[in-house]
Amino acid sequence: MARSPQRGEGGSRRARGTAGSALDRPTSLRLWLRRRRGLLRPAGLGLLGAGALLVTAVAVMATDPYGRIAALWDGAAEIAAGGGLQVQDVLVDGMRNTPPELVREALSVRRGDPMLGFDPHWAREQLEQIAWVEHAHVERLLPGTIKVRLDERQPFAIWQRESKFSVIDREGKVVATENVGAFGRLPLIVGTGADRAAGPMIDVLQAVPEVQERVHALVRVSERRWNLRLRNGADVLLPEGQEAAAVARLAELQAKQGLMDRPLAAIDLRLPDKLVLRMAPGQQPAEPPAAGQKAQGATRSGRG
């Protein structure tokens, strides 16, 4: 005798059918994706293209890490420039003595050039080859500004050698050979080796203004000691390694006897216990030399 299906079994099949229909029904996320399939397809292609470009770039770097990758970068820079990444301003700070034309030549950039095509490291190296520039800092500020800061060498003295004049910094580096007259207030140093040795001697003079104001030039003798050429033409011969003590002695003699204002050819201070005065030709001492001083009419060379 056949059993008629019970109500419970029919109810279960209907429940399963209802559940299956609920599972087959698309979710709201799937419906959203279906509606925007046309928009997502180009983005996906773009991502695939970017991935392919990255793989290609890595392969090119492995085979030719300099030539071809540079070409790819240049192309990217041109594309970026087309999108607005172009040089609009170049700001330079700290440029006082550095010639502007040398800065422009070192940067080699013009308004409208691609920003990504400008290499700050290369520009810094070029700037630091300029004699006036000790250090340079270059940065690229997107979208369109290049910022440069220069740390210049400080003019310290004018160096004369073989009738040629140069402006040097404290370490003796030549920073300018033209328009030297614009730095006429700087101390004048003369002779081979004077460029490297002038720093301490100039410091000594700056500490004794009454001597410094009467000095026209510092003359390096045999690359080992100094003579002071006074503004009245007299030479002061200083001892090697004892310049500070000799200058202090000279200041004392000036205060007591006005020694540097006399018509002398030379004041020899190389011996600590003796002062030798050499008279200018045709001049006689106005008064007998003080004790410990020796006056000579003949003029001898101050070399050695």
Side-chain angles (χ1 to χ4, degrees):
M1 183 176 175
R3 292 176 56 187
S4 60
Q6 298 180 359
R7 180 179 299 176
E9 294 179 358
S12 299
R13 282 195 294 269
R14 285 194 299 272
R16 285 194 295 269
T18 303
S21 300
L23 292 175
D24 292 339
R25 184 181 305 139
T27 65
S28 58
L29 175 62
R30 293 175 65 184
L31 289 173
W32 184 86
L33 291 175
R34 286 178 183 176
R35 295 190 186 107
R36 288 159 177 81
R37 184 176 301 168
L39 298 175
L40 293 176
R41 184 175 292 111
L45 293 176
L47 290 174
L48 290 176
L53 180 60
L54 178 61
V55 172
T56 303
V58 171
V60 170
M61 288 181 66
T63 57
D64 184 6
Y66 299 106
R68 297 179 184 176
I69 197 64
L72 287 175
W73 179 255
D74 290 342
E78 293 294 339
I79 294 174
L85 293 181
Q86 298 178 350
V87 176
Q88 297 297 329
D89 293 298
V90 178
L91 306 178
V92 182
D93 184 31
M95 184 173 63
R96 295 174 179 82
N97 294 307
T98 306
E101 62 273 13
L102 295 183
V103 174
R104 288 194 295 267
E105 181 179 352
L107 293 175
S108 297
V109 66
R110 295 179 299 179
R111 179 173 295 182
D113 286 351
M115 277 291 289
L116 297 183
F118 176 77
D119 186 348
H121 301 289
W122 180 86
R124 175 182 58 80
E125 293 175 355
Q126 298 302 308
L127 287 169
E128 290 181 352
Q129 293 182 19
I130 301 174
W132 276 109
V133 179
E134 186 171 10
H135 300 293
H137 307 269
V138 184
E139 54 184 331
R140 187 173 47 197
L141 304 178
L142 298 179
T145 300
I146 295 172
K147 186 175 181 179
V148 179
R149 187 175 79 252
L150 302 180
D151 297 331
E152 292 187 338
R153 301 180 186 276
Q154 297 302 309
F156 184 70
I158 297 176
W159 178 34
Q160 178 185 352
R161 184 182 59 167
E162 298 177 356
S163 301
K164 296 180 180 179
F165 294 86
S166 306
V167 178
I168 63 172
D169 68 357
R170 186 180 179 89
E171 284 69 38
K173 181 177 178 60
V174 174
V175 294
T177 56
E178 299 179 355
N179 197 27
V180 176
F183 301 91
R185 292 184 175 273
L186 295 177
L188 174 63
I189 61 174
V190 182
T192 302
D195 54 332
R196 299 183 301 272
M201 188 65 233
I202 291 177
D203 291 342
V204 167
L205 287 179
Q206 288 177 342
V208 190
E210 60 270 29
V211 174
Q212 182 187 29
E213 65 187 12
R214 291 173 170 82
V215 173
H216 172 65
L218 290 77
V219 182
R220 192 67 171 163
V221 181
S222 302
E223 297 191 54
R224 61 183 181 85
R225 68 169 195 85
W226 292 97
N227 282 354
L228 304 180
R229 172 62 58 86
L230 302 183
R231 298 189 183 278
N232 62 7
D235 288 321
V236 180
L237 285 63
L238 302 180
E240 180 181 356
Q242 301 296 322
E243 293 87 359
V247 170
R249 183 184 175 195
L250 182 62
E252 183 180 354
L253 290 170
Q254 174 64 23
K256 292 180 178 179
Q257 304 179 23
L259 192 61
M260 288 185 288
D261 298 329
R262 296 186 182 185
L264 300 172
I267 303 171
D268 193 341
L269 298 174
R270 288 178 294 177
L271 299 176
D273 57 348
K274 185 180 295 186
L275 173 64
V276 179
L277 304 179
R278 300 172 188 163
M279 305 303 299
Q283 296 292 333
Q284 295 297 326
E287 60 185 43
Q293 297 182 6
K294 180 180 180 182
Q296 296 180 352
T299 302
R300 297 185 306 179
S301 171
R303 292 187 172 273

